[in-house]
Each structure stands twice: as structure tokens, then as C-alpha cells.
Amino acid sequence: MLEPMVKTEIVGLRSTLDSTMACLQRCASVQLLDASSELGLKPAPQAVDEGELGESARLRHLRTRLDALISLGVVPEIPDDRFPVEARLDQVAAELDQLAPAVEPLVTRIDDLEAERSTLPRHVESLRRLAPLVPRLPELEAYETVAILVERRHAAVIGWVRDELAALLDTHFEVISDQVDSDTVGAVLVFPRDRSRRVHALLAERQVSRVHLPDEYRNMSLTSAITSMEQRIADLPVEIEATRAELWELLSFRTHWHAARDNVDRRLAQLDALHNIGTTERAFAAIGWVPQRHLDELADALRSDVVGEVLLTTREAAPDEPVPILLTNPGPARPFELFVGMLALPRYGTFDPTVLMAIVMPFFFGLMLGDIAYGLILFGLTTWVRRRWGSRSAVVADLSRVLSIGAVWAVIWGVVFGEVLGDLGHRLIGLEPLWIDRQEAIGPLLLLAVGIGAAHIFLGLGLGMWNALRTSDRHLLGERAALLVALSALFAMAGVAAERLPRGVMTPSVVAVVVALAVLIALEWPLGLVMGPLDLIGAISNVLSYLRIAAIGLASVFLARVANELGAAAPLALGIVIAALFHSLNLVLGTFSPTIQALRLHYVEFFDKFYEPGGEPFAPFGASLAAEPEVAAPAPVLIETD
Amino acid sequence: METGLLGIGAGIAVGLAAIGTGLAQARIGSAGIGVMAEKPEMIGRVILMVAIPETLVILGFAVASMIIFILGA
């Protein structure tokens, strides 16, 4: 259901603004609106003083510096009970200024060492590929060596380089080239050092890429460079750790920085929220949406936290004013809010389908999967996933709960269909279905699916009529009622054709269809001439769309049967492995596909009949911040340190 | 022979519908992935859009079922 919201106004003396904002932030139950424009007052930051704006800029700067140091990973996060939040932000800023000259060179050094650690192996790799080309090349002081690696399809470049060097240097050079691996050809050019500039200019002009080495290795021979680099790679971890240890000594006991960062976040959120506060010379006013059930708690909190007079009153909302949406459903239905929110939140004052979805969606899921063993395995897996990862991710917890409920329905329908791993239960222990054998009685299964679809669509149309009545929308009411009557009459006609209803029902049914169609056409005249019949055809196709419940179920049971047949055809051990593989695949498909199809049946066929999207989620001031510290921080004071 | 022809007819009904659904889903799916890369919160709408053409194959399945159960009876 949608939580009833109340529009409230909070008025107080300017001297109580800070404590009121802190209280609202702690309660996290008010979504602030722009009071300055609604009441025609000045916004708070402009009205207060420029110091507030300066404070915001300085806090953001402090936040960035704290983030940069904490992200180094050498400031342990100690719980607040050991280091209560009493760190004044001015002290923290002073600490940062004092430490900066010592910390910055260390951080730069670590960055450089890490960069070296990641690039050196690539250089060694390149040089190793070239090494076989020059096994006994002497270290010649007067000569320079340049290495080139080119893709094999561009090997002709090396011949061209040889020609160009001959033209430039006559015979005073050497080019040694060979294929260094399946895709690359390497070449080493040796030429007098005094011609270095001209050779490099030639290569650059012709866009020939050379193997670039760091400066300290540039004047070494190939083998010496490889040896030096390998030694350096071995030394780097030790050097990095030593530098980190120095950094650790400087920063490891600054555990209060985490609390300070939280403090900065709280204060910044307060300063941002001030934009919504309207002020006069002596007073302030805030307007916001509060969930009705939190109104008394908020009043009590203001009374106890704020020293001085603050008045909390409720305001009349404008008829078309958008109201934020807070879904509050009973515990078992709550995970399904995820699926409602995935589409779009309902508009305030309309129907929240979460509870209906919580009942019907797992029912559909179970009907499609419909197997005792699959249901039990899925229940076990989802329970394990929830216990293992549920506390870390709300989405994982919600999804696993939804699938657990679906798994229970799969077991129930598995009993109804008499299925354990497809027909394995029947083969091994002679298990018989309680009602429908899906593998044999396909016709009744299809009828069951259509019947369930009709009931679901009728429920949707009924809810649409209820919504239309609440909003006094006669047009919508007429359309939904006409569709309901037409569909009912068409089903009655089908019942007569199947000799399940008396023939006397046929005439009134035909009349009902004609009248309903006429109403649909009249409601949208003249467009209704096309749209009316289309709406009716659309509603029929919506009902037929529920055949997918039977189709997906049939695919699942036949795949399980294939797994059993293949398993039975092989020797016992191999057969068990094959059957287990196929059943695992079927379980994955049988979990994914029914979830998507059940969702689709809700989103497309069911919601279309009544659902009115367009709600914006409730976003209370203070909700995005961490819990309030155990020891309340004093109002933060930041001294100018720059 | 007649049973075989009915089977072929049912197969064509569901097969062509599946091809149509696949073609539509391929285009919608690639566009949907693009949307989700920029706006992950649109996942619900994307699922909805991708799932809409499936009605085609379900209607094909319905026709195939009718061929087998009504004509084949």
C-alpha cells in the first residue's frame, strides 16, 4: 500500500535553524520542498551570510583531501565506540596541512614505483623477443642500438628501413632482422652514435615505431638492459612496501578521519538543504512531506532537540501537487516492491499492486516450474544465497525471498502434476499426479492457463473500474466495464460452443458483446470505430497470452524427460552425470524463464488494466547518510587554513 | 499422412511466429541494452519492451495447439 503523506510546515526563530536542521537530518523523515519560492521568502544561504557559502566550499575541499588520504588504505576504520566522534573539523584540517609535506612525496613515490612495476615487464618482454637477433653483439661505445617490432604483414618496412639507412649512412650500419614470433618481425639497427639524430629523424618522419626504453636503460646493451630490468622487477615490491610502511607510520593512527568525513558529509547535506529553507530577518520556514505515521515522532524530536520555539503544522496540498511515494507493505510482500519499482512507482492516490503481485507472481512461477525436486533444490539454494549474501545486498535478499516463495509453489504444483525431476518420480516410485498429468493432458493444461489468465485480466479490469470510480473518471469506467462485459460474454459463448453451458445463454451473450462493442466505439467516437474493436481484440490476446504458463511448463517437463531418457540410455555412472547436467540446465532455465514470464504477465497484461505510474520515490533529508554517531558532534567549526 | 501434415502445419505456425518474435526481440534487446547502459533504472521498462513480441510466438503456439487438438481429434 501507499503510505499516506502529510504536507507539513516547520516555522522557528533563525537562532534555532541549525539545531532544527540537525534534528530533521537525524529523523530522516521529511522530504524538503522549496519553501522560499512557495512562501515568497528569501532562500537561507543568501539570507544567512557569505560565511555559510565559504564554509560549504571549504568543507568540500576538506572532503576531497580526506577522501584522497583514506583511499590510500592505510587509515583503519575503527568503530566509533573506540574513537567517538569528537574530532573538530578545524583540527583535522590543521592535521592535513601539517602532514601534507611529508605525505605527498611518499604518495608520489608509491605511484611512480607502481607505474614502474606495471611497465617494466612489458619492456622485458619486448627485449626478450629481440634478444635472439643479437646473441653476440658487442657493447660498442661509439654505436647506438635501436629496436623495431612490426606486425608480420608489414615486414616489408624493415627492407625499406635498410635501404633508407644505406642511403643515409653508406655502409656504416647494421640491420639484423628475423621473425620473433608467429605475428611479429623484429629488427635491431646498429649505427654510429654521432648519426643518431638523423637516424631518429628519419624513423620519426617515416612513422616507424621504435621500442622505447626508460632513460636509465637507454645506453645499455640488450642483454644488460634485460638483466637490469629483471633485477629491478625483483626489487620493486620491497621498495613499495618500505614506502608504504613510512606512510603507515604517518597515517595509521588517524582513525578519527573516518568520523570526521562523516561529520563533513552531514554538515554539507545540511548546507545543501538550506537552499530549500525560506527565511526572514528573524525567522525561518521549512515545508516538506512527512509520512503520516512519523508525524508524531518528528514533533517529539523537534520538541526535545531544539532549544527554543519551533512550530510544526500541517498544510493543505494543492489538488494536482505531486506527492512522493513510500511503499509500505507487510513483510512477506515487501520483496515484491522491487518489481513494482522496476517498472515505475504508482501515482499517489492510486492502487499499489505489490500485495497482489506477491500472491500471484509466485503462483505463476510455481505453475510453470511445477516439480517437487526442482522446487526443493531451488528453495535450498535461495535460502543459502540469502544467508550468505543477503545482508550485503538488499536486492539479493529480495530476489532470493521471491524465488523461495516461488519454489514453495513449485513444490505444491509438483505434487499436483506428480513430477519429481520430470517423470523420474513416476519411473522410480510410481508417483501419480493428483490432478493433471502435464505430459499427457495438454488440452486441460491449456484450458487451465487460459482460465487463470481470464481471472487475472478480470481482476485487473475490476481494479481499473475501482480506480476510475475513485477518481470519478466516467470515460475510463465505461471502457473497463465494456471490456469486462464483452470478455465475459465471449467466454460464455465459448462455453456454449463447447456444450458446457445451455444454448439459451448464446443470445444474451451475443447481445452483450454487441452492446459492449458499441459502448467502446461511442466512448472514443469517431476514432472508436477503429480503437473500440482493437481494444476488444487486445483484451482477448491478453487472455491468450497466459498460454505461456502452459507452454513454459511443457518445455520444462519435456526437457526433464529428455534428461531422464539420456541418462537411462547410458551406463549407470555416466547416465547419472548426464542426467544431472541436463537437470541442472533445466533448473537454471526453469528459474530464469518463469520469473521473466511472470513479470511480463504482470507488467503487460495485468497492470495495463488499472496501473497508473508516475510516482516519484520519497527521498527524506538525511536518509542517504550513515547512522548518527553515538556521541553527538558539536556544531562543526572550520577555521580558514589556506 | 494426414497426421504428418497436421504436425507440419503446427510446426510452421509456431516456427514462423518464433522467427518473428526473435527478429523483433533482437532489435528491441540491443536497443534496450543501450538504454540500460546509460540508465540502469530503466530495467523494468526494458524487460517489458523485450517481452512484448513474445505474444506472437504464444499466439503461434495457440494456433499450433488448435491444429493438433481440434483438427487432429
Side-chain angles (χ1 to χ4, degrees), chain A residues 526-598:
Chain A
L527 210 61
L529 276 172
V530 178
M531 297 308 294
L534 275 182
D535 282 348
L536 184 55
I537 293 170
I540 296 168
S541 100
N542 283 165
V543 173
L544 288 179
S545 185
Y546 285 76
L547 280 172
R548 74 187 61 231
I549 293 176
I552 301 288
L554 281 176
S556 172
V557 70
F558 280 115
L559 194 54
R561 194 166 156 180
V562 167
N564 294 336
E565 296 286 350
L566 285 175
L572 184 62
L574 182 63
I576 290 172
V577 172
I578 291 173
L581 278 174
F582 272 82
H583 280 300
S584 305
L585 174 70
N586 197 19
L587 181 58
V588 172
L589 291 176
T591 306
F592 183 71
S593 197
T595 308
I596 296 292
Q597 299 304 335

Side-chain angles (χ1 to χ4, degrees), chain B residues 2-64:
Chain B
E2 193 181 341
T3 311
L5 287 175
L6 286 173
I8 291 170
I12 289 172
V14 81
L16 287 182
I19 289 171
T21 297
L23 289 173
Q25 283 191 326
R27 295 186 176 191
I28 299 171
S30 59
I33 293 295
V35 169
M36 277 171 56
E38 291 194 7
K39 292 188 173 181
E41 69 274 13
M42 295 291 282
I43 183 173
R45 304 280 175 94
V46 171
I47 289 174
L48 190 150
M49 291 297 170
V50 173
I52 281 175
E54 282 175 3
T55 305
L56 284 176
V57 72
I58 296 300
L59 293 177
F61 173 73
V63 170

Side-chain angles (χ1 to χ4, degrees), chain A residues 110-125:
Chain A
I110 290 173
D111 285 347
D112 290 346
L113 292 172
E114 290 287 1
E116 202 178 346
R117 182 156 71 170
S118 73
T119 54
L120 273 186
R122 290 205 293 272
H123 289 306
V124 171
E125 172 68 17

Side-chain angles (χ1 to χ4, degrees), chain A residues 320-603:
Chain A
D320 56 346
E321 191 171 351
V323 183
I325 299 299
L326 178 62
L327 301 179
T328 46
N329 288 290
R334 211 164 291 146
F336 292 85
E337 290 175 359
L338 169 74
F339 295 117
V340 174
M342 266 167 63
L343 184 63
L345 287 173
R347 201 159 49 76
Y348 191 75
T350 60
F351 182 74
D352 170 21
T354 307
V355 172
L356 276 179
M357 207 171 178
I359 297 168
V360 179
M361 194 181 147
F363 176 83
F364 284 174
F365 179 93
L367 186 51
M368 283 184 258
L369 187 57
D371 190 291
I372 297 170
Y374 288 162
L376 290 174
I377 294 169
L378 185 61
F379 186 82
L381 281 175
T382 50
T383 306
W384 176 73
V385 166
R386 189 165 57 253
R387 287 191 181 157
R388 184 91 169 74
W389 289 292
S391 56
R392 295 185 208 167
S393 163
V395 173
V396 170
D398 284 350
L399 269 179
S400 61
R401 276 200 188 89
V402 167
L403 287 175
S404 290
I405 303 170
V408 172
W409 274 107
V411 173
I412 294 169
W413 280 107
V415 174
V416 172
F417 297 142
E419 288 176 23
V420 177
L421 297 176
D423 61 350
L424 195 62
H426 179 73
R427 288 182 186 212
L428 294 181
I429 55 171
L431 186 70
E432 294 295 334
L434 278 185
W435 183 28
I436 295 175
D437 182 354
R438 282 203 288 189
Q439 298 168 67
E440 301 296 331
I442 296 173
L445 184 67
L446 295 177
L447 279 179
L448 174 68
V450 171
I452 288 170
H456 206 214
I457 293 293
F458 283 0
L459 178 63
L461 288 170
L463 289 170
M465 289 170 65
W466 180 70
N467 257 353
L469 276 173
R470 284 183 55 177
T471 53
S472 305
D473 187 341
R474 288 184 185 179
H475 183 276
L476 190 65
L477 181 65
E479 188 195 325
R480 295 288 181 263
L483 280 176
L484 195 62
V485 169
L487 275 183
S488 308
L490 282 171
F491 275 104
M493 288 161 69
V496 173
E499 298 178 352
R500 298 293 176 123
L501 288 174
R503 286 185 172 278
V505 176
M506 182 59 94
T507 308
S509 298
V510 173
V511 172
V513 170
V514 172
V515 170
L517 197 56
V519 170
L520 285 173
I521 292 170
L523 281 171
E524 292 184 58
W525 183 264
L527 210 61
L529 276 172
V530 178
M531 297 308 294
L534 275 182
D535 282 348
L536 184 55
I537 293 170
I540 296 168
S541 100
N542 283 165
V543 173
L544 288 179
S545 185
Y546 285 76
L547 280 172
R548 74 187 61 231
I549 293 176
I552 301 288
L554 281 176
S556 172
V557 70
F558 280 115
L559 194 54
R561 194 166 156 180
V562 167
N564 294 336
E565 296 286 350
L566 285 175
L572 184 62
L574 182 63
I576 290 172
V577 172
I578 291 173
L581 278 174
F582 272 82
H583 280 300
S584 305
L585 174 70
N586 197 19
L587 181 58
V588 172
L589 291 176
T591 306
F592 183 71
S593 197
T595 308
I596 296 292
Q597 299 304 335
L599 265 182
R600 179 236 143 91
L601 287 173
H602 278 83
Y603 285 167

